[in-house]
Structure formats: C-alpha cells, structure tokens
Amino acid sequence: MKHLQDQDLQLYLDQQLRDREKIDHLRHCPLCQERLDTYEIVFSGLRQAPQWTPSPQLQDKVMQKIKPDPAGSVYQQLLQVLAGIGMFIGALSFSLPYLHADNYLESIKKIQAPSLKPDFSLLEKFNFLPSLKSMTGDFNFNYSLLIIAAGVLLLAALMDHLIGLARGRTASQR
Amino acid sequence: MNLSDDKTLIESILGGHHTDFAVLIERYQGLVAHVVARMVPRVSDRDDLCQDIFIKIYRNLGAFQFRSKFSTWIATIAHNTCLNYLEKKRVPLYQDLQVADDDAETQSMEWIPSAEGTPLDRVETRDLRKTLEREIEQIPLPYREILVLFHLEEMSYEEIGEIMNLPAGTVKSYLFRARRFLRDRMLALYHMEAV
C-alpha cells in the first residue's frame, strides 16, 4: 500500500481518519510513524495556549464601564417627572378654554373668516363643557403663566439632555 | 440562582443582575484572549480590545437568539472587533501560505526513518514550544485564527466557518495547510529535510 498522505496523518491525529486500511498501514510502517511523530509534536504545541494573557484588571475595568450610572438613573427619573409635568400642563392648557366654553366659542367665531360663515350649532349641541363649567363654578386660572413655566422646564430638560449627549452620556447608557 | 448554564446566566444579566456579567467574563475570558492574541500582533492594544469585546457582548446580549452556541457568538464578536481594528491599522488581512504539494513528501521517498527518532524528538520541549509560537505568529491571519479555534477551543469546521464567514471546506483546507506549513518550518529549522 502507498504511504499515507499528509492529510491522512493529520486526520489520524484529529481522530477523524476512518479508513481501516490506512490505520493498519500507519501502525506497521516506520516511515509513516516517523512522519506522524513530527506532526504529533506540532499538534501538541498547538494545544498550548498563546503566551499572552489579559491584564488581571480586565474584569474590574469592564464591570466599571458597564455599571449602571446612579446619576444617570436620577437624571432619567427627573426627565420623566419633567415630561409628566409638561404633559399635564399641556393637557390642562388645552382643556382650559373648554372650561370657559362660552368665551372660547365666541373667540373661535371671531377668528373665522366672515365669508365662510361656519355653523357652530353642531359644536354647541355636543359641547358638554358648559355643564362642566357649572360644576367648576367660577374657576379662573392664568394658564398662560403655566404654559410659560412648562415651556421653561422642558427647555431646561432638553438643554441638559443635549449637553449630556455631547459629553457622551445618555440616559440609556448602562 | 445556579448560573452554571449560559441561558440562565444570560437571562439573569438581562433581568437586571448586571453583576452576574462578571461570571460571564470569567467563563469566556480565555476564548476572547485566545482570539485576540492570535489576531492582533501589537501586545499593547490587546487589553483594550478585550475590554471593547466584552462591552459589545454586554450591549448586544439581548440580541442573542440561542440559535447557535454562545461561545460561537462570542468568538464572532471577538473576530469582528479584531478585524475592524486591523482594518483601521491597515494590517494586511488575507495573504496566502505557500506549502509543498500534499504528495511531494511521500512520492519523493527521501524521508528515511532514523533509529534515533526525528530531530524534533531531540529538541527540548520548551525550546520547541517557543519556536513554534514564533512560527505561528509569522503565518497569515486566517490560518492563525483557525489553528487557535480548532486546537484550543475545540470548535468544528462549521463553527469556525460561522465565526470567520468562510465555508467549512475552506476552513478544513486552511487548517491542513497551516499545520503542514508549521511542520515543514519546524523540520527545516531543526535541520531535517522532509522532502
């Protein structure tokens, strides 16, 4: 039988050589045995890990970088509170005119172009707010001030968020 | 909680127990270090790359679908991170490896068995390992990486192919060529003519 090829010798060492005849030849042929020995030495060296190992501080450094930022968490909560306040104020400012429904409808009528002559009867028919008005009494609030305050708060939050982004910190950064 | 299996460990980390990530680092530090050490020649950059790889693993953990082995997924992230680094550094990535024909050795029949064994048998193991390590560092990148994934991480041709985006047949062929090359180099260095 012909001597084994290199690929067969390597497969034998990988325990993947299945050909019975080749395995028998290898066991009895001194030439193939010797060639196998040279591969065996190389294979044994390949099973040794590279001499380099990472710094012992690797784990600490990674854990430090992925640690949730408590400041970021407070910041996130603050942002959520501000957004909540903003939404509440927005909703209130949107609904306040309805609390003074008569005045509101009057003012709407005034800003319409006279040529269109819109019919507000349907709106008045479905407007349940006058009854709400009677429930709320003479509630009168300077909501313009509220809108301005909400605007200032949201602007401050937005600016802070942008500054945070510019510094490489985001609320979602863990 | 028993964190011995990867699925439980991943679910725990994703569930908010971020300190459990230390267990993951401990478990896969060897694999990441082997890939980085074989792919990146500059020692001073290796630690930073290992850090980057683990941070990427942490940030992308939620995207792991358990469709492949977790070690394959980690090795893929390590491979891609090192590849990006090498591309930035303009390190040549794909060079060929010149090896003799597979049949050349056996056909020539000039290899005469010696009663004293091969010259490699007569060299001190420590010396051999150092020489082999130096020779491995000289061979082109894909061959180095395949050698480490196959021999140290005991991955299959298919798994290595998935990591390196190569067909399994190519991985097998590269592996044989690399080992043949190393064997020939070692014999040449220790003054034995194999052919």
Side-chain angles (χ1 to χ4, degrees):
Chain A
M1 188 196 167
K2 268 179 76 177
H3 291 294
L4 264 62
Q5 293 191 338
D6 268 82
Q7 191 157 342
D8 294 326
L9 296 174
Q10 293 193 28
L11 279 174
Y12 179 80
L13 289 173
D14 286 336
Q15 297 178 337
Q16 290 176 10
L17 186 65
R18 303 278 173 257
D19 190 327
R20 206 65 244 167
E21 205 180 336
K22 285 179 179 175
I23 295 170
D24 284 342
H25 171 87
L26 185 58
R27 282 181 184 152
H28 299 106
C29 173
L31 174 70
C32 288
Q33 273 289 342
E34 193 160 301
R35 288 169 55 224
L36 184 74
D37 288 348
T38 59
Y39 268 116
E40 208 153 23
I41 290 165
V42 171
F43 273 50
S44 150
L46 288 171
R47 282 192 287 270
Q48 303 295 317
Q51 285 169 353
W52 181 81
T53 50
S55 139
Q57 283 87 44
L58 172 70
Q59 189 173 306
D60 291 342
K61 284 181 181 172
V62 174
M63 292 308 288
Q64 193 64 37
K65 284 197 177 170
I66 63 167
K67 199 167 129 187
D69 181 8
S73 170
V74 169
Y75 165 84
Q76 207 169 359
Q77 283 172 8
L78 185 68
L79 200 66
Q80 281 169 0
V81 169
L82 284 173
I85 293 171
M87 282 173 71
F88 174 73
I89 291 170
L92 196 65
S93 65
F94 183 74
S95 61
L96 273 174
Y98 288 95
L99 297 176
H100 305 279
D102 296 341
N103 296 343
Y104 181 67
L105 286 173
E106 282 306 313
S107 52
I108 290 283
K109 281 174 190 172
K110 276 179 199 165
I111 60 167
Q112 294 300 317
S115 57
L116 291 175
K117 293 183 181 167
D119 182 11
F120 289 98
S121 57
L122 196 67
L123 190 62
E124 282 169 0
K125 193 179 168 187
F126 287 101
N127 186 9
F128 61 92
L129 288 164
S131 54
L132 189 66
K133 186 192 168 192
S134 63
M135 285 163 67
T136 54
D138 289 332
F139 177 73
N140 196 359
F141 191 79
N142 189 354
Y143 59 86
S144 303
L145 200 65
L146 264 179
I147 293 170
I148 291 168
V152 169
L153 277 171
L154 284 174
L155 193 66
L158 184 68
M159 288 297 289
D160 188 35
H161 190 68
L162 289 174
I163 290 166
L165 276 178
R167 285 179 182 164
R169 182 198 73 187
T170 65
S172 61
Q173 192 171 350
R174 293 187 287 184
Chain B
M1 193 189 294
N2 181 15
L3 299 173
S4 58
D5 74 292
D6 287 336
K7 198 167 189 291
T8 317
L9 178 62
I10 293 163
E11 281 167 357
S12 172
I13 297 164
L14 292 175
H17 298 100
H18 102 282
T19 47
D20 288 343
F21 194 69
V23 179
L24 191 145
I25 297 175
E26 186 99 22
R27 195 171 293 169
Y28 289 102
Q29 183 170 305
L31 167 62
V32 170
H34 291 159
V35 174
V36 171
R38 280 286 172 256
M39 287 185 76
V40 178
R42 191 186 284 184
V43 178
S44 57
D45 289 347
R46 289 177 184 169
D47 267 324
D48 286 347
L49 274 165
C50 284
Q51 272 188 58
D52 288 351
I53 291 163
F54 277 112
I55 289 166
K56 273 187 193 168
I57 291 168
Y58 181 76
R59 288 191 180 150
N60 292 293
L61 205 53
F64 178 62
Q65 301 288 314
F66 297 96
R67 283 185 196 139
S68 59
K69 277 168 74 179
F70 190 47
S71 54
T72 311
W73 186 74
I74 286 185
T76 308
I77 293 181
H79 168 83
N80 291 336
T81 309
C82 292
L83 218 55
N84 288 341
Y85 159 87
L86 294 170
E87 276 169 356
K88 274 185 199 163
K89 297 278 175 189
R90 297 178 191 279
V91 175
L93 299 179
Y94 298 103
Q95 293 167 304
D96 203 9
L97 194 61
Q98 296 300 320
V99 291
D101 290 343
D102 194 44
D103 286 341
E105 179 179 292
T106 46
Q107 280 174 358
S108 70
M109 294 298 290
E110 285 178 21
W111 184 317
I112 299 158
S114 147
E116 299 155 15
T118 74
L120 298 186
D121 289 333
R122 296 188 286 274
V123 184
E124 265 192 54
T125 314
R126 201 176 53 181
D127 190 24
L128 264 174
R129 293 230 171 104
K130 270 188 184 169
T131 312
L132 188 61
E133 178 78 20
R134 210 170 43 237
E135 289 302 316
I136 292 171
E137 282 172 13
Q138 300 302 314
I139 63 174
L141 176 65
Y143 298 93
R144 289 201 306 264
E145 198 182 352
I146 289 171
L147 286 173
V148 81
L149 292 175
F150 187 83
H151 283 282
L152 277 178
E153 301 304 329
E154 298 178 344
M155 288 183 176
S156 65
Y157 305 132
E158 287 75 19
E159 284 168 343
I160 298 171
E162 195 183 324
I163 293 163
M164 299 180 68
N165 205 15
L166 290 172
T170 308
V171 172
K172 189 175 177 182
S173 157
Y174 277 20
L175 182 68
F176 284 114
R177 285 161 67 86
R179 296 189 298 204
R180 169 79 195 263
F181 176 84
L182 285 173
R183 201 283 310 260
D184 290 352
R185 283 289 300 157
M186 295 296 282
L187 287 171
L189 282 167
Y190 291 101
H191 308 295
M192 177 171 178
E193 290 183 358
V195 182

